[in-house]
Amino acid sequence: MPIRPAKWTDLSTIATLCATAFYDDELFGTLMHPLRDQFFSDYKASFTRRIRENWWDWSHVWWVATVLEADHEVVAGVAEWEFKGTMADTVCLKQWDPRRAIMPTVKAMHCLHTTIRPNRAANPDPILRNPFPSAHPFFEHHWKGTRANSVYLELLAVDPKYQGRGLAKELVQWGLDTARENHVCASVISSISGHNLYLRMGFTEEVGRCTEGEGNPLKDLGSGWILFANTSEEQRSVMGNEAKNIELGVSVESFRSDPSQKPGQRFRVRRRQS
């Protein structure tokens, strides 16, 4: 069950995968898109817009898990990792690089499109259609100080048809290995469905909730645990043995010196030998 960097041609498949995987999710589904039953195409289009925008943020790295179906590769899972602090410094473009204009241009186009044709699946409350800008100030302090440098799991999804095959573990293991090799934290905000997986993978330090704070639009979410992975030497040893047992072994080599690479193409996977 290999994982590989995502490609631009994967984006449509990733959007469909996310729309399916997050259909019953308390955030992307119930809160943000309560009318997804009636307007599934609008619901899916929201993921397409989100993925396009974040694709051109060089601090975000995308990986996909694939399976073989009738000798054809099928994208069955996706992980979006965000590099924070010093990790972001290693991959982001220089201030003068014209490619920095791509993401704001894409966002402007999407804003125009949704103004002309609003997302009919979205929450009628304009804040809850995209609660992140309003909610983020309530919990961003958890990534300050010793936790400022982090490999953060922004999104993890596996097609329900392929769940139970260890694909999510492979995608998570990539971020854990990257964090350890660069001596930084690994972190995630957990949904209800992902909570047990993250705890098993080593995200055992709970520092707060993304729902905290008076006036937070996520206050009724019912999940949102902010978890950090233990990076002690003891935990590294345990996780190293566990990775061998479940045959997840993934390590990375970075092409940080070449900013001409597309997002998600700056790293390659080398299978760890058992």
Side-chain angles (χ1 to χ4, degrees):
M1 294 178 290
I3 67 172
R4 62 165 174 78
K7 299 179 290 188
W8 178 260
T9 52
D10 296 324
L11 262 60
S12 177
T13 302
I14 291 173
T16 301
L17 187 159
C18 287
T20 303
F22 289 117
Y23 192 82
D24 294 321
D25 182 74
E26 62 272 19
L27 175 60
F28 290 109
T30 305
L31 182 66
M32 294 175 61
H33 297 95
L35 301 178
R36 60 199 182 282
D37 276 340
Q38 298 94 311
F39 305 106
F40 184 83
S41 61
D42 288 28
Y43 164 66
K44 175 187 170 184
S46 70
F47 283 104
T48 301
R49 289 190 293 271
R50 181 190 182 281
I51 293 165
R52 282 178 182 164
E53 292 173 8
N54 286 1
W55 179 267
W56 295 111
D57 183 338
W58 259 255
S59 66
H60 290 232
V61 177
W62 295 79
W63 284 82
V64 294
T66 63
V67 297
L68 284 178
E69 292 285 356
D71 297 326
H72 288 86
E73 182 190 67
V74 175
V75 173
V78 61
E80 175 189 0
W81 291 92
E82 179 187 357
F83 288 179
K84 294 177 177 289
T86 55
M87 287 297 292
D89 295 338
T90 64
V91 295
C92 285
L93 302 176
K94 303 295 184 182
Q95 291 291 338
W96 48 262
D97 197 308
R99 289 172 296 174
R100 279 182 169 268
I102 298 176
M103 186 173 68
T105 300
V106 172
K107 285 186 175 182
M109 293 174 61
H110 287 164
C111 183
L112 177 61
H113 180 269
T114 53
T115 299
I116 297 171
R117 190 179 184 282
N119 181 355
R120 296 169 296 176
N123 196 305
D125 185 330
I127 293 179
L128 296 182
R129 291 176 189 174
N130 181 15
F132 305 114
S134 298
H136 194 253
F138 289 98
F139 58 86
E140 63 182 346
H141 61 279
H142 290 298
W143 282 269
K144 303 292 185 182
T146 57
R147 302 191 189 101
N149 306 320
S150 177
V151 180
Y152 168 66
L153 182 56
E154 177 85 16
L155 178 146
L156 176 70
V158 175
D159 189 317
K161 293 186 298 184
Y162 302 106
Q163 290 177 3
R165 301 190 185 189
L167 300 178
K169 291 180 180 179
E170 290 221 25
L171 292 165
V172 172
Q173 188 66 45
W174 181 88
L176 289 169
D177 287 344
T178 302
R180 288 174 182 140
E181 290 180 8
N182 289 275
H183 309 290
V184 300
C185 301
S187 55
V188 65
I189 297 179
S190 175
S191 64
I192 293 172
S193 62
H195 195 238
N196 287 337
L197 168 67
Y198 298 135
L199 291 178
R200 290 197 303 269
M201 294 294 289
F203 290 88
T204 55
E205 183 182 0
E206 181 180 334
V207 301
R209 299 276 290 271
C210 71
T211 57
E212 60 197 31
E214 184 177 353
N216 188 332
L218 299 177
K219 61 184 177 62
D220 297 324
L221 194 60
S223 58
W225 300 274
I226 300 173
L227 306 175
F228 281 76
N230 190 325
T231 56
S232 68
E233 288 298 325
E234 179 181 358
Q235 183 69 14
R236 291 184 193 187
S237 176
V238 170
M239 288 302 297
N241 291 332
E242 180 178 323
K244 289 181 180 180
N245 291 337
I246 59 180
E247 298 181 351
L248 296 182
V250 178
S251 60
V252 295
E253 294 180 52
S254 169
F255 299 99
R256 299 186 182 95
S257 61
D258 183 5
S260 65
Q261 297 285 342
K262 291 293 185 182
Q265 293 180 327
R266 296 187 187 85
F267 300 87
R268 64 188 177 204
V269 175
R270 182 180 64 248
R271 304 296 299 183
R272 182 185 293 123
Q273 301 297 318
S274 58

